Amino acid sequence: MKKIATILACVAFAGMAQAQQTLPDPARDYGSNTAGYMFADVLAARDNPAFNRAIAATPPMGWNSWNAFRCDVDETKIRAMADSMVSSGLAKAGYRYLVIDDCWQSSRNKDGVLVPDAKRFPSGMKALSDYVHGKGLKFGLYSAAGYKTCQGRPGSRGYEWTDARTFADWGVDYLKYDWCYMPAWQEPFDAYARMRDALVATGRPIYFSASAGLRPDVLEWAPQAAHSWRFNKDIRPCWDCTGDRAANGIMSVLDRASQLQVALRVRPGSWSDADMLEVGNHGLSMAEQRAHFALWVLLASPLMIGTDLRTLDPEALDLLRNPALVSAHQDPLGMAGFRYRDFGDTEIWRRWLKDGADGKRRDMFVLLNRGNQAREIELEVDPDTVVSDMMASMVAVPVIGQSVKLTVQPHSATVLHVAGMRFKN
Ligand code: GLA
């Protein structure tokens, strides 16, 4: 017994030595040292107490280039988006992060440092970051845990420490980290924790967004490794997509959120990411966009706008700036909503909000009509509750008896704020 304990202690010690020796080494090439790499992973602590969760006390709000521009992104567009975020009032409403998704990278230099695409970003990332910061916004970039990004650009695998240092030097405040070109044996937690810890080591507070939505096990490891975690395939601007895209529509993201019970893992500092918004994009009616936005608020998902702000129509802009919805999204209690009633084509979703100053309970309800015909939805409420319409400047909604009955149009939602409910499941 004693002998076994001694052997185990020696193994653990050797492993610690390995981890201590190798983890802080910026130039470490994991790819050529698979055994040490795996051993360090086994020993890696699951949580890093120095990981700054306070910067994610409420879910982030911002803009990301992917849904709007895919790979057709460049510094002129990014500067224009920064300008628009300020002039449109979105920055004032709370949208702070401006994130460049995939395709900004071209190669690595002789020191292994990432080089931005010189044609699209001739001024370099530091200058762009300075510009964004000069507008009072925060700057974000994208990389991937694999050998390559999902669009085949250089990935961070084996270069985590170099890349984290580079991002910090460029003034990056937000990193979206994807999951492509990974060896099949790779434990996702270890790959993500490695970048998380490299970011921590830079000393710069950087929001860390895990984008590994295709992995079915994401809830088992991502909440410890990142500030937010995707749980679904890439979103598309359709209510119920069909064919190959059946898993990409708004309703399917919602079903996935319910199926995985993502709300149980959400708390301040750790958010489920329903993917970037499609508000403003062709493919969704205005009613569908309203429902989509309200549901993302209810899920406490990051609100990353994914449209060209130069051509955003006023109705969509008003939706994104809706004060009641933004305030519910940023609710300090930090709980995510869940499917509260399921009547088939119609559903009620509920998010508990922080009690009001008067001590009254506050709830957000989304009365959702998924179907193709107008339907009446009834929400039971307690006596003396005050019900308001969050989409319509908090106008009072009449309570008759102990319920609110509203006709909800097809593919749309009515969003209610209810003050004074007693606890009900
Ligand atoms: C994956 C992600 C998307 C986007 C692309 C970029 O598909 O899920 O959100 O970042 O990669 O290549």
Side-chain angles (χ1 to χ4, degrees):
M1 199 61 202
K2 204 172 160 199
K3 202 168 168 192
I4 294 173
T6 314
I7 292 168
L8 284 176
C10 286
V11 169
F13 180 76
M16 271 162 65
Q18 173 98 33
Q20 277 161 11
Q21 215 182 345
T22 50
L23 280 178
D25 177 6
R28 181 174 168 201
D29 180 356
Y30 293 107
S32 62
N33 182 17
T34 308
Y37 181 49
M38 292 176 79
F39 204 10
D41 287 347
V42 171
L43 291 171
R46 289 192 79 78
D47 259 318
N48 182 340
F51 183 49
N52 185 337
R53 299 245 176 218
I55 57 167
T58 58
M61 297 167 68
W63 183 93
N64 173 298
S65 57
W66 185 252
N67 287 353
F69 301 128
R70 295 289 194 267
C71 276
D72 189 13
V73 68
D74 58 45
E75 64 181 42
T76 310
K77 280 184 180 145
I78 296 301
R79 283 170 199 251
M81 292 307 112
D83 297 346
S84 298
M85 275 173 86
V86 176
S87 61
S88 62
L90 285 166
K92 199 155 174 239
Y95 295 87
R96 294 190 302 152
Y97 292 102
L98 200 162
V99 181
I100 309 176
D101 208 282
D102 207 348
C103 301
W104 62 266
Q105 328 81 330
S106 66
S107 56
R108 290 187 181 275
N109 70 16
K110 63 174 177 24
D111 299 321
V113 174
L114 279 167
V115 178
D117 183 318
K119 279 210 193 85
R120 290 175 175 270
F121 296 94
S123 318
M125 283 303 161
K126 181 68 173 77
L128 193 49
S129 160
D130 287 347
Y131 185 85
V132 169
H133 288 141
K135 293 272 160 185
L137 302 168
K138 293 192 171 284
F139 182 64
L141 283 179
Y142 162 103
S143 190
Y147 300 111
K148 293 182 189 178
T149 71
C150 297
Q151 299 302 313
R153 306 301 172 100
S156 288
R157 186 172 182 78
Y159 293 91
E160 290 86 351
W161 291 78
T162 309
D163 288 356
R165 191 65 264 159
T166 306
F167 297 149
D169 290 346
W170 287 345
V172 164
D173 307 294
Y174 183 116
L175 178 65
K176 173 174 171 181
Y177 205 49
D178 219 329
W179 180 266
C180 281
Y181 292 93
M182 298 301 299
W185 54 264
Q186 176 62 56
E187 267 291 335
F189 174 78
D190 300 327
Y192 274 86
R194 193 170 303 118
M195 182 49 101
R196 175 200 65 188
D197 295 347
L199 293 173
V200 167
T202 67
R204 184 175 174 87
I206 298 177
Y207 183 95
F208 189 39
S209 155
S211 180
L214 281 178
R215 290 201 60 104
D217 60 353
V218 71
L219 266 84
E220 287 164 28
W221 52 270
Q224 291 106 312
H227 291 119
S228 56
W229 20 277
R230 283 267 305 276
F231 57 83
N232 60 285
K233 291 190 173 174
D234 289 8
I235 193 168
R236 294 281 175 170
C238 39
W239 184 256
D240 263 327
C241 302
T242 49
D244 287 353
R245 297 193 170 165
N248 307 91
I250 308 295
M251 289 302 103
S252 126
V253 175
L254 199 62
D255 287 339
R256 186 96 178 128
S258 187
Q259 182 197 2
L260 295 177
Q261 297 191 289
V262 295
L264 297 176
R265 304 306 303 269
V266 167
R267 63 206 55 176
S270 183
W271 309 104
S272 68
D273 181 351
D275 206 353
M276 300 161 304
L277 294 168
E278 293 285 10
V279 172
N281 292 341
H282 182 71
L284 293 174
S285 72
M286 202 55 231
E288 290 172 341
Q289 293 179 45
R290 289 200 181 95
H292 160 42
F293 186 71
L295 288 161
W296 265 230
V297 166
L298 181 127
L299 292 171
S301 169
L303 292 181
M304 302 302 284
I305 301 169
T307 196
D308 186 344
L309 298 175
R310 296 169 299 189
T311 51
L312 187 61
D313 70 71
E315 271 187 302
L317 179 59
D318 280 350
L319 173 62
L320 293 167
R321 290 185 310 190
N322 179 306
L325 289 171
V326 167
S327 159
H329 180 252
Q330 295 292 301
D331 182 71
L333 193 58
M335 296 187 79
F338 56 94
R339 189 184 268 142
Y340 171 67
R341 295 280 184 267
D342 187 350
F343 310 112
D345 263 2
T346 61
E347 294 169 2
I348 301 178
W349 288 69
R350 179 178 192 174
R351 175 173 173 182
W352 297 326
L353 302 172
K354 190 172 175 358
D355 290 351
D358 55 5
K360 284 204 174 132
R361 189 188 175 87
R362 299 190 313 118
D363 289 90
M364 170 185 181
F365 288 97
V366 177
L367 280 52
L368 174 68
N369 183 357
R370 307 170 65 122
N372 295 323
Q373 282 165 21
R375 299 282 296 273
E376 184 174 80
I377 304 183
E378 178 175 6
L379 170 69
E380 286 176 44
V381 292
D382 289 312
D384 303 324
T385 45
V386 178
V387 182
S388 332
D389 187 332
M390 295 176 83
M391 280 290 175
S393 312
M394 296 296 274
V395 69
V397 176
V399 179
I400 296 158
Q402 286 196 28
S403 76
V404 171
K405 280 191 194 155
L406 293 169
T407 300
V408 182
Q409 296 305 314
H411 290 203
S412 81
T414 298
V415 191
L416 301 178
H417 178 275
V418 180
M421 281 288 270
R422 303 199 189 104
F423 182 84
K424 266 198 177 155
N425 61 21

